[in-house]
Amino acid sequence: MRKLLAVAARELRERWILFPASLASGFFPLVLPAFGVRRGDAAFVGVFGAASLAAAAAVVIGSSMLARDAADGRLGFLFSRPLPWGTIWGGKWLAALVLVVSSGILAAIPWTAAFPLSSLGGRHGDSWLRAALDGPGAAPLFVIVVLGVGLANFSATAFRSRSPWLVLDLVLLLAALWATRRYVAPLWLYGVLGKEQWSLTLALLLLALGLLVGSVAQVAVGRTDLRRAHRALSLAFWAVIGLSLAVAAGYWLWVRSAGPDAVRVHAVTRDAAGRWIYVEGSGPHRGWYPHGFLIDTTTGGYLARPGLDDGLERFAVGMLFSADGRFGALSGAAGGGAALKLLDLREAAPRVTEVRLESSPPPTWRTRFALSPSASSVFVVHESGASLYALPSGRRVATTTILPGWRPAAARYLAEGAARAWLVPSDDIPGARRARAEMRVVDLAVDGASSGTTFPLTAAIDPMSGLRAVLPDADGRRILTSDAGLHLRDGATGDLVASLVEGPGVIPALFLADGRIVVEGRGGDGEPPSAHPHLWVFDRVGTKLADFELPLGPCVLGTGPEVAPGRVVVSCFRSPFPSDASRVVDLASGGVVDTLPGLQPAVDFWGVPPTISTGAGPGAVHFFRDARHHVVRIDFATGERRVLTGPGAPRGERISAR
Amino acid sequence: MSAETTAAVAAAAGPALEMDGLTVSYGRARVIEGLTLAVPRGSVFALLGRNGAGKSSLLRVLLGQRPPAKGRVRLLGDDPWTRRTSLMARVGVVPEEPDAPPEMTPLALSALCGRLHSRWDAPAVAERFRRFEVPADRAFGRLSKGQKGAVMLALALGHGPELLLLDDPTLGLDVVARDAVFREVIGDLADRGTTAFVTTHDLRAIEGIADHVAILHGGRLALAGRLEALKAERGLSLEQLFASVAGTRAADGPVTEVRS
């Protein structure tokens, strides 16, 4: 210890000028009030100054304590004494840490004494020290000091050695940044490690540890030879960083390895025949990484969402399925624009094709996608335009501009080569939210023909519910709008066909395969007409056909899906509790013909149009979710029930995409 | 007699410095290749060679500051790479370039060395400063080259080393300073029987004090032996011996010269 302190004292003695300089700089904030600067602002200048001085001290001593001494041939003085390398290393680091910390403290003494924290209305009593420790905390500050000194030492050693290892360092730095972006950033951004301070401290701690271990190797192995020291420093540092990144990558891969049997499913989309479903949900691990699986419901085999190159701040968009059931598409971003991962579902192992959509802006949560019935094109609507892209080339075949102040609410294909989008006023324009009781419809065809019509609404659509407030039917010929009631409108012009229900908010409704409309019945003031919920049935043009009182207590109804011609599932929600059972209601008699205990319809993704059925009627296969977030497949033709996903569900084989 | 004592006696009887097939390299560049040499205890051994012959690189290996690429080195019977700390308590070093902290005065340097060595004769060091006419209260960095060399020599002798390694200690010194350095070495030899291993270009100065000599040329040992015997055998002065050996390139095998 005596020798270590002697080495440290020698280092401090060489740089003694920093002590009075730091103290002197601490008086600078005291003169600021004389120039009209408020005391609080002067104290802020003091904090900034002390931190800057400590950082500068870290750089100065970090870059000189080993690298400069080795380059100048001065390390030999210590190495030719009976000093273990640990004493030389420890003495140098001790001096560096003392110098950096004391520089900061000395620079803070004058102004903290002159401006007591209590006089500035601080929240930590009258103790600046307590404020510093309560704020960022002593441990993170210490780690940052070590980091500053270590980084300065690494940089100085690397550049002073002028060895080819510098190139390797730069290459490894790029590799480490890439690995961090790919494996560490998701852990943090998806909350797996938590976004709390400790996870950032842990990352900095590992970096500091790498620099410390590197400098140990630098002294123990490199000794007075700067090139050899650089090599030892690099190897040790990158070994620590590499090991840390490997652990992080392993953890991330483990997090992502969860299968459909482990996730709590939040949303489901399905193809027309009910063979394929795409689910997203949260895994058994901490965080909110959206696990996504394309599941073959006939075999239980599943494909994890292909590609990790999508944005980290990804939002759930669901999978689009072509009506013919041959293709699925996942939207995302690539190369600064929108992109699709097109999955050919004709084989047991889907073939994935990455399609970049020509001249498209990157998608946001407001962008709407629709896949043509045979997946020959995709319709993309964003706030500045709507375009049709040929698939699988991604070439833009038609486009039309969307005027400012609109955003897409829904998009549908009318036929293979023609698509339609419905727009609502953008809530980004101040004052436009409530004032604009209007909508706009835009048609676009692959031959480039386009048209747009603005039509009035009864009332402005609530921007918070805009995504659910516009419900087109399967072929886009009719729409239901929730604008102070539920209104049936012509899909092409927006002309009012009939007012179905009066009342505020989004009113649950369902288009049946035969064109009829099922709606939750309400009274004139928007309340249910009686203590029991009612189901109203309308024909294609909005003429009321039936009013059924359901044998349920007061609740908000959910309607759909249509599980057989004229038979719909009705769910009853009593906030905040989910439905305890769903009922199948026969619309001919109004009677409940089946009860599905503990099940409710699987929720689809917002903004994803339901796949258009090519059959004559509704499919018999439908998907439900239980309270434990299992997805249950029910074939209403045969009565077969099968659990597909969720904690403890049977796990099928993992499919590799081609 | 215990095994340890026997080993200690054997070590004490062995050479102060021993190199066996020593190769020193920087990357792929070999500076010294296959050097085999023994330095008897109590001798003054002069290692001669032209610039780039590898003398300073050899010193770094002897001081445990870098490991040999191949071969074996023993300093006072121990491996300097693995036993550097204990060996440096028995070895004094005067480097080619004075490496003491420039902001410290010679007296402060002596005090610092006193804390780093378990045995330190501060009065003797101060006496040497006086004898060398070194201003002991002036920062080391502000001393002349000769004064710096004198300070380094005084510090190297402060702990009574068994072995003194001097790397071209008179390089750039005037005649008076050079004589003072060698007088001091000879004086210490007379007092304590210290072994001195000197690398130098200064043939005339070393000729008067060295009893053994080796000449490195092109990274290889070109000549080694007792100085008087070599001179008598060939009928040449040291200068003529050096010119005859180092004036031409070594014939057997290329050894890259590098600046270290």
Side-chain angles (χ1 to χ4, degrees), chain A residues 2-4 6-7 9-10 13-14 72-85 88 220-225 228 231, chain B residues 26 60 63-67 80-81 84-85 88-89 91 93 99-104 108-109 112-118 152 155:
Chain A
R2 186 173 61 96
K3 292 179 179 180
L4 186 143
V7 173
R10 213 292 300 165
R13 182 186 175 127
E14 182 186 350
D72 293 351
R74 283 163 54 183
L75 269 184
F77 183 79
L78 294 176
F79 274 96
S80 56
R81 312 286 149 196
L83 290 172
W85 62 260
I88 298 172
V221 179
R223 302 191 183 178
T224 59
D225 185 330
R228 192 180 167 81
R231 191 173 58 190
Chain B
Y26 291 90
R60 287 195 195 96
L63 289 170
Q65 293 178 8
R66 64 175 296 123
W81 177 251
R84 182 190 58 80
T85 305
M88 288 305 111
V91 174
V93 183
D99 57 7
E103 77 284 358
M104 298 182 82
L109 285 169
L112 172 63
C113 290
R115 288 193 289 275
L116 304 182
H117 287 272
S118 54
M152 295 310 293
L155 294 176

Side-chain angles (χ1 to χ4, degrees), chain B residues 70-133:
Chain B
K70 271 200 294 191
R72 196 178 73 114
V73 181
R74 287 290 179 268
L75 192 72
L76 300 172
D78 277 329
D79 180 354
W81 177 251
T82 57
R83 302 292 303 276
R84 182 190 58 80
T85 305
S86 59
L87 281 173
M88 288 305 111
R90 300 161 65 194
V91 174
V93 183
V94 178
E96 180 180 345
E97 289 294 328
D99 57 7
E103 77 284 358
M104 298 182 82
T105 65
L107 284 178
L109 285 169
S110 175
L112 172 63
C113 290
R115 288 193 289 275
L116 304 182
H117 287 272
S118 54
R119 186 180 56 175
W120 189 255
D121 190 349
V125 173
E127 171 57 24
R128 285 195 176 93
F129 289 158
R130 191 193 59 73
R131 215 161 52 229
F132 288 143
E133 298 178 352

Side-chain angles (χ1 to χ4, degrees), chain A residues 50-280:
Chain A
S52 302
L53 201 74
V59 171
V60 167
I61 192 167
S63 60
S64 63
M65 65 180 187
L66 288 167
R68 185 207 60 189
D69 281 6
D72 293 351
R74 283 163 54 183
L75 269 184
F77 183 79
L78 294 176
F79 274 96
S80 56
R81 312 286 149 196
L83 290 172
W85 62 260
T87 302
I88 298 172
W89 177 86
K92 296 243 174 204
W93 268 93
L94 177 64
L97 299 180
V98 166
L99 199 73
V100 173
V101 172
S102 56
S103 294
I105 291 174
L106 285 171
I109 286 175
W111 58 265
T112 51
F115 305 140
L117 191 55
S118 56
S119 71
L120 302 176
R123 291 182 293 110
H124 299 271
D126 58 356
S127 169
W128 279 102
L129 180 62
R130 195 184 310 156
L133 296 179
D134 286 355
L141 279 177
F142 186 73
V143 170
I144 289 170
V145 169
V146 172
L147 209 57
V149 175
L151 279 174
N153 174 52
F154 192 115
S155 308
T157 304
F159 286 103
R160 278 180 181 270
S161 80
R162 287 176 289 173
S163 77
W165 277 83
L166 180 58
V167 177
L168 187 66
D169 281 332
L170 294 174
V171 171
L172 288 172
L173 176 65
L174 291 176
L177 290 174
W178 175 84
T180 302
R181 161 71 172 77
R182 191 172 176 93
Y183 297 114
V184 181
L187 286 172
W188 192 70
L189 289 169
Y190 287 125
V192 179
L193 291 179
K195 285 196 174 183
E196 299 87 356
Q197 187 177 297
W198 77 265
S199 58
L200 185 61
T201 304
L202 175 68
L204 295 179
L205 188 66
L206 289 171
L207 193 56
L209 181 69
L211 293 166
L212 276 177
V213 171
S215 68
V216 164
Q218 175 182 13
V219 177
V221 179
R223 302 191 183 178
T224 59
D225 185 330
L226 191 53
R227 285 192 165 201
R228 192 180 167 81
H230 177 199
R231 191 173 58 190
L233 167 64
S234 277
L235 283 173
F237 172 74
W238 290 116
V240 172
I241 297 303
L243 192 65
S244 304
L245 287 173
V247 169
Y251 188 62
W252 174 234
L253 293 176
W254 177 69
V255 166
R256 290 197 64 237
S257 69
D261 58 322
V263 299
R264 294 165 58 86
V265 171
H266 300 148
V268 179
T269 46
R270 51 165 294 178
D271 72 345
R275 176 185 172 186
W276 296 94
I277 59 169
Y278 177 76
V279 302
E280 280 196 7

Side-chain angles (χ1 to χ4, degrees), chain B:
Chain B
M1 187 180 283
S2 71
E4 281 183 18
T5 312
T6 307
V9 169
L17 258 173
E18 195 177 5
M19 291 153 255
D20 184 9
L22 176 69
T23 297
V24 181
S25 60
Y26 291 90
R28 291 180 182 173
R30 285 170 297 172
V31 183
I32 291 174
E33 188 169 17
L35 179 62
T36 299
L37 194 65
V39 175
R41 287 184 186 249
S43 65
V44 176
F45 196 107
L47 181 69
L48 310 178
R50 295 173 62 178
N51 287 336
K55 301 187 299 291
S56 295
S57 298
L58 176 63
L59 256 293
R60 287 195 195 96
V61 173
L62 296 180
L63 289 170
Q65 293 178 8
R66 64 175 296 123
K70 271 200 294 191
R72 196 178 73 114
V73 181
R74 287 290 179 268
L75 192 72
L76 300 172
D78 277 329
D79 180 354
W81 177 251
T82 57
R83 302 292 303 276
R84 182 190 58 80
T85 305
S86 59
L87 281 173
M88 288 305 111
R90 300 161 65 194
V91 174
V93 183
V94 178
E96 180 180 345
E97 289 294 328
D99 57 7
E103 77 284 358
M104 298 182 82
T105 65
L107 284 178
L109 285 169
S110 175
L112 172 63
C113 290
R115 288 193 289 275
L116 304 182
H117 287 272
S118 54
R119 186 180 56 175
W120 189 255
D121 190 349
V125 173
E127 171 57 24
R128 285 195 176 93
F129 289 158
R130 191 193 59 73
R131 215 161 52 229
F132 288 143
E133 298 178 352
V134 171
D137 54 353
R138 184 181 294 175
F140 183 78
R142 295 175 57 205
L143 298 177
S144 70
K145 188 168 177 62
Q147 289 169 329
K148 285 178 181 173
V151 170
M152 295 310 293
L153 181 60
L155 294 176
L157 295 171
H159 56 295
E162 295 170 43
L163 172 64
L164 195 57
L165 297 175
L166 301 103
D167 188 6
D168 238 340
T170 57
L171 186 67
L173 299 190
D174 60 35
V175 176
V176 176
R178 187 184 65 190
D179 288 347
V181 166
F182 284 124
R183 265 202 317 274
E184 195 65 25
V185 173
I186 291 167
D188 202 71
L189 275 170
D191 291 345
R192 285 198 296 255
T194 306
T195 307
F197 183 80
V198 189
T199 71
T200 185
H201 294 90
D202 195 347
L203 303 181
R204 284 184 187 163
I206 203 69
E207 191 167 9
I209 63 167
D211 46 31
H212 286 72
V213 67
I215 300 175
L216 272 182
H217 184 62
R220 297 173 189 276
L221 185 64
L223 185 73
R226 294 187 67 87
L227 178 56
E228 292 309 320
L230 288 171
K231 284 161 65 176
E233 183 184 310
R234 305 197 179 194
L236 299 171
S237 67
L238 178 58
E239 204 166 338
Q240 289 168 323
L241 267 178
F242 184 74
S244 69
V245 173
T248 56
R249 292 198 58 82
D252 51 346
V255 173
T256 310
E257 289 190 7
V258 297
R259 285 192 300 165
S260 53

